[in-house]
C-alpha cells in the first residue's frame, strides 16, 4: 500500500496508496517541482492515509489551508467491505454530495482510506525566516495583521511562543541558541515567507521588520542569513514539545480559540496553578491554534484536577475547539460536547450507524458510547 | 436573512445570514481590507446561501480554492425543523465529523443553509492582466505550467478561449475590441496576477510574457496599461456566454476534464456536428474546467441527438465530471452515474433518506428517483 500511482505534472496532482510515508511523497513531488500541501514534524514516519483520516494540520496550514481543500479524491473501504471509488483527480466536480469529506478527519471510524489524490502546490524558490520579539500579546496580534497586509501572498508561517517556551527550549535542547539573547522579552514570533523571487521577497520582509519596529510592534528581530540560521529558528519552535517532555510530566492541550482571546487561557491557567506547574503557550497564531503545555516534575492528580475540566469549559464558553488538529481518539471521545452541539453529535451518531452498524471500525473512538 | 452578523478583522472571518447578496458582502469586506474568496458574474444578484448550497466556483478558484476550504461554519435547518448549529469561526477543529461539508454543494437537498462563516483573504493592492495568443492547444498547456512556475504565488486567473469564442464576442458584444487584432490566432489566454507589490508584480508578468514569446509558447501578447483595458480583456472572457445566446440556441456544458484531454472533446464535437452548429471551447483552464457551448440559429432535436449522450459518455470515459461547477439540479439528476460510481450514488441516497426521509427538501433534484 505504499505505491505512487500517478503524477500529473501540469496540474501537480498526485495519486497514491494510503501507506505512503509523507516524507517520501514530499521528496517525490519536490523532484517534480511541487510540494506537498502539508508538512508535519512526524513526516518521516506518518502515512498519508493517516494524515487524511485525522485531517492533519501542520506548518503549511496558514498558506495552503486544510486537507478538505487539498484532497481531490479518495478510495475508501466501508465497514461492509464495499470499495467506495471517489478517486477523481478533478479540481471541480459538482455532481451529487461530496462524500469524501466524511472520511477526512473521521479517524477511520466511517471507512478505511486506501487511495488518495491530492493537489500539490508549485514549489517556490525563495524562503526567508525571521525571529522577532514582542513586549505584549496585543503586539503579537497587531503584528499578525501587519504581516497579512504587507507580506500578503508570500506569508507561509506565523508561529508564536511565550518566553517560558524559549527558556525551556534553551535549557533542554542541545545546540540551540536564542537568536535574540540581548534581553528577555515576553513573546517571540517566527515569521516565514515563501515566494518565487528571492530579492523582492527579502526586501519585503526587511521592510516589514523595519516598519514593525518603528511602529513599536516588534521589540527586536533578526532575519536568518543562511539555511543553518533558519533551521535554528525552526528548531526552537519545533523543539518546544521535546523540551517539555524532558521536565518530567506534560499535560498537553491543542485548542482553537479566536486570536483575540487565545492567550487569556494561558494566563488564567498560570494563576490557577501558581508554583505547582509551569504553563507554556505557543502555536500556530495565524490559524488561531494554541498549544498549551503544562509541565511539572511528575504527574499529580491534584494538578490535573486544577486543569480539567476547567480548560474544556473555558474553551467551550469561547466557542473554541478542544482539539484543533489532534482529533478526539479514545481519550476525548466523551468530551465532544464541549465543542459540538447535541444536534450535531446526534447526526454524527446517525451517520456512524448508517455506515458502520456493527461498530467494527475503530470502536470507542471519536463519538461517546452514549449516543451509539 | 440579509444581515452581517460579525467580522473579525484580524483574521478576516465574516459571519452573516444566508440571504446576503455576494456583491454586498464583497463591498463590505473590501472596506475592511479583505476580499470574498469567490467572485462570480452573477454576484449582483446571487445569495451567499445559494453559493454555498451549489458549491459555486467562479473566477478566484485557481487562487483561493473551493468553498470546502473557505467555509468555516454553517447553521442549517434540517428537514425535521432541527436547527443544526455548526457556526464556528475556527480555522481548525478536529472534534468529530466535519458535517458542514454535507451541506456545501448538496443543492439544498439535505438542509437549508441559514447562516455562514467564511474566511476572507487579505485584499492585495496590485492587479495585472495580460491577453495572450497561442497557435495550438499544446502551447496553452505549456503556458499554464510556465505561469504556475514563474508567476507562482501571484497567479490569480488563467482563462482560455478558442478563436470561435473571440469571433463571436467581437460580433455580438458592444464596445469590445480584440486586443490582438493583427492576425487570427487559434487560442487566446487571459492571465491575471494579484499581489502586494505593484512594481515587482508587473516586472514578473513582463518577464513571463517575454520568456513565453522567446520559447514560442505565446504568439503575441499585451499587458493592460490601465483599468479600462483590463476590464475590456475580462469583458471578452465574461461576455462569451452572453454572445452565445445572441446567436439563437445554445447547448451548454460545464465539464471537468484533465487539462491534457480537455480540448479533445471540443474538436470531436466539431467533427460530429460539421456545419450544423458552431462549437465554442473556453473556460478556467487552470482548474481543468471547460465550458463547451454549442450554438445554432434555433433548437433542433437532431443537433441535440448528436451531442447527447455522446458528451456525457465521452466525459465519463475520461473520468471527468459532467458538471464541474453548475450542479445537477432537476435536468441532470438522472445523469449522476456518468460521474459517480453506483456505490457512491447509493451512499448519497442513504444519506438523503437519513436526513430527509419524506423527500421534502428540493425534491427530484440531485439524485435519480430510482435510488430514493
Amino acid at each position: 500500500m505504499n505505491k505512487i500511482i500517478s503524477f500529473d505534472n501540469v496540474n501537480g496532482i498526485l495519486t497514491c496508496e494510503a501507506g505512503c510515508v509523507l516524507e517520501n511523497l514530499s521528496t517525490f513531488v519536490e523532484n517534480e517541482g511541487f510540494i506537498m500541501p502539508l508538512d508535519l514534524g512526524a513526516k518521516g514516519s506518518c502515512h498519508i492515509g493517516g494524515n487524511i483520516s485525522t485531517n492533519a494540520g501542520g506548518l503549511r496550514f496558514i498558506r495552503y489551508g486544510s486537507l478538505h481543500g487539498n484532497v481531490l479524491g479518495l478510495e475508501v473501504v466501508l465497514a461492509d467491505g464495499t470499495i467506495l471509488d471517489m478517486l477523481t483527480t478533478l479540481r471541480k466536480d459538482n455532481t451529487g454530495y461530496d462524500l469524501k469529506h466524511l472520511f477526512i478527519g473521521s479517524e477511520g471510524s466511517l471507512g478505511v482510506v486506501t487511495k488518495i489524490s491530492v493537489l500539490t502546490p508549485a514549489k517556490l524558490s525563495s524562503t526567508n525566516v525571521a525571529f522577532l520579539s514582542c513586549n505584549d500579546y496585543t503586539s503579537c496580534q497587531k503584528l499578525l495583521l501587519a504581516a497579512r497586509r504587507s507580506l500578503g501572498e508570500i506569508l507561509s508561517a506565523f508561529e508564536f511562543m511565550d518566553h517560558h517556551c524559549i527558556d525551556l527550549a534553551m535549557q533542554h535542547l542541545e545546540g540551540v541558541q536564542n537568536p535574540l539573547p540581548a534581553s528577555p522579552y515576553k513573546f517571540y514570533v517566527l515569521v516565514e515567507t515563501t515566494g518565487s523571487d528571492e530579492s523582492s521577497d527579502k526586501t519585503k520582509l526587511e521592510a516589514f521588520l523595519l516598519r514593525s519596529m518603528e511602529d513599536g510592534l516588534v521589540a527586536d528581530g533578526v532575519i536568518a542569513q543562511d539555511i543553518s540560521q533558519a533551521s535554528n529558528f525552526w528548531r526552537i519552535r519545533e523543539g518546544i514539545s521535546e523540551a517539555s517532555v524532558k521536565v518530567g510530566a506534560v499535560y498537553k492541550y491543542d485548542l482553537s480559540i479566536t486570536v483575540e482571546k487565545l492567550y487569556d487561557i494561558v494566563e488564567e491557567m498560570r494563576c490557577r496553578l501558581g508554583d505547582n506547574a509551569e504553563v507554556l503557550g505557543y502555536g500556530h497564531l495565524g490559524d488561531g491554534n494554541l498549544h498549551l503545555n503544562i509541565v511539572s516534575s511528575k504527574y499529580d492528580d491534584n494538578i490535573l484536577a486544577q486543569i480539567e475540566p476547567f480548560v474544556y469549559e473555558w474553551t467551550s464558553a469561547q466557542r473554541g475547539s478542544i482539539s484543533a488538529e489532534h482529533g478526539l481518539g479514545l481519550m476525548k471521545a466523551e468530551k465532544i460536547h464541549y465543542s459540538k452541539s447535541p444536534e450535531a453529535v446526534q447526526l454524527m451518531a446517525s451517520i456512524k450507524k448508517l455506515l458502520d452498524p456493527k461498530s467494527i471500525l475503530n470502536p470507542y473512538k471519536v463519538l461517546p458510547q452514549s449516543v451509539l
Side-chain angles (χ1 to χ4, degrees), chain A:
Chain A
M1 293 267 286
N2 63 354
K3 284 194 193 69
I4 288 168
I5 299 167
S6 67
F7 188 70
D8 167 351
N9 65 7
V10 173
N11 298 293
I13 297 167
L14 172 74
T15 306
C16 68
E17 294 179 336
C20 292
V21 170
L22 180 59
E23 191 164 38
N24 297 344
L25 295 176
S26 278
T27 307
F28 174 83
V29 301
E30 286 192 23
N31 283 335
E32 301 277 341
F34 294 83
I35 62 166
M36 291 298 287
L38 78 164
D39 185 25
L40 308 176
K43 65 181 164 222
S45 56
C46 64
H47 299 124
I48 188 73
N51 297 151
I52 283 161
S53 296
T54 56
N55 190 27
L59 303 167
R60 291 180 184 155
F61 192 99
I62 191 176
R63 177 70 167 263
Y64 298 111
S66 103
L67 287 172
H68 286 284
N70 293 310
V71 171
L72 300 179
L74 293 179
E75 181 192 84
V76 172
V77 178
L78 299 180
D80 65 2
T82 302
I83 296 173
L84 192 62
D85 178 358
M86 307 170 288
L87 196 65
T88 78
T89 54
L90 307 169
R91 287 215 61 185
K92 286 174 163 182
D93 178 17
N94 279 353
T95 56
Y97 310 152
D98 200 344
L99 296 173
K100 66 173 179 278
H101 296 287
L102 276 178
F103 303 95
I104 301 174
S106 56
E107 304 183 34
S109 67
L110 297 178
V112 178
V113 173
T114 48
K115 290 178 189 159
I116 287 120
S117 74
V118 63
L119 187 68
T120 67
K123 185 180 173 182
L124 302 173
S125 55
S126 139
T127 300
N128 287 292
V129 188
F131 199 87
L132 318 172
S133 62
C134 299
N135 285 324
D136 51 52
Y137 183 67
T138 305
S139 299
C140 296
Q141 285 182 70
K142 287 185 180 165
L143 191 66
L144 171 60
L145 187 59
R148 285 198 207 277
R149 288 264 172 276
S150 40
L151 300 174
E153 70 280 8
I154 62 168
L155 181 64
S156 58
F158 194 101
E159 301 285 318
F160 97 113
M161 300 146 267
D162 64 20
H163 73 93
H164 299 266
C165 298
I166 299 289
D167 295 348
L168 202 75
M170 294 308 134
Q171 208 176 327
H172 292 288
L173 300 179
E174 259 178 60
V176 164
Q177 291 177 325
N178 185 350
L180 303 171
S183 64
Y185 301 100
K186 282 204 173 148
F187 293 94
Y188 296 83
V189 170
L190 184 157
V191 176
E192 187 192 72
T193 66
T194 308
S196 57
D197 186 328
E198 185 68 44
S199 78
S200 123
D201 291 358
K202 193 142 194 177
T203 307
K204 229 181 235 186
L205 184 58
E206 283 165 354
F208 163 72
L209 178 54
L210 195 67
R211 207 172 323 114
S212 304
M213 289 178 92
E214 282 168 6
D215 293 348
L217 301 181
V218 163
D220 198 3
V222 55
I223 294 175
Q225 293 307 307
D226 53 37
I227 289 179
S228 121
Q229 215 178 353
S231 301
N232 179 53
F233 294 178
W234 270 115
R235 174 86 180 103
I236 297 169
R237 165 60 189 85
E238 295 193 278
I240 298 169
S241 177
E242 181 189 331
S244 302
V245 174
K246 294 200 179 162
V247 176
V250 195
Y251 308 82
K252 286 185 180 186
Y253 301 90
D254 167 40
L255 311 171
S256 263
I257 303 163
T258 56
V259 174
E260 202 183 350
K261 306 260 182 170
L262 183 142
Y263 202 69
D264 292 359
I265 180 70
V266 182
E267 288 174 333
E268 286 205 37
M269 199 55 87
R270 226 164 249 152
C271 288
R272 285 177 75 86
L273 291 167
D275 296 335
N276 297 323
E278 188 161 12
V279 181
L280 312 176
Y282 67 103
H284 316 292
L285 195 68
D287 310 321
N289 185 184
L290 173 73
H291 292 307
L292 175 71
N293 282 8
I294 296 161
V295 296
S296 66
S297 54
K298 60 180 176 40
Y299 278 101
D300 179 338
D301 284 348
N302 292 324
I303 292 178
L304 188 61
Q306 286 283 74
I307 303 171
E308 295 185 21
F310 173 78
V311 65
Y312 298 123
E313 287 168 356
W314 191 94
T315 305
S316 181
Q318 304 295 334
R319 296 207 62 157
S321 170
I322 62 157
S323 185
E325 53 181 16
H326 294 172
L328 292 173
L330 199 63
M331 285 170 65
K332 288 187 183 144
E334 301 293 331
K335 298 189 169 73
I336 193 170
H337 289 288
Y338 287 113
S339 289
K340 292 287 155 73
S341 69
E343 295 81 12
V345 175
Q346 201 52 58
L347 179 52
M348 291 179 206
S350 302
I351 289 171
K352 169 72 175 173
K353 284 180 220 166
L354 177 70
L355 278 157
D356 181 19
K358 294 180 186 158
S359 260
I360 60 171
L361 294 170
N362 239 0
Y364 313 113
K365 291 188 183 151
V366 189
L367 295 176
Q369 289 304 299
S370 56
V371 297
L372 290 175

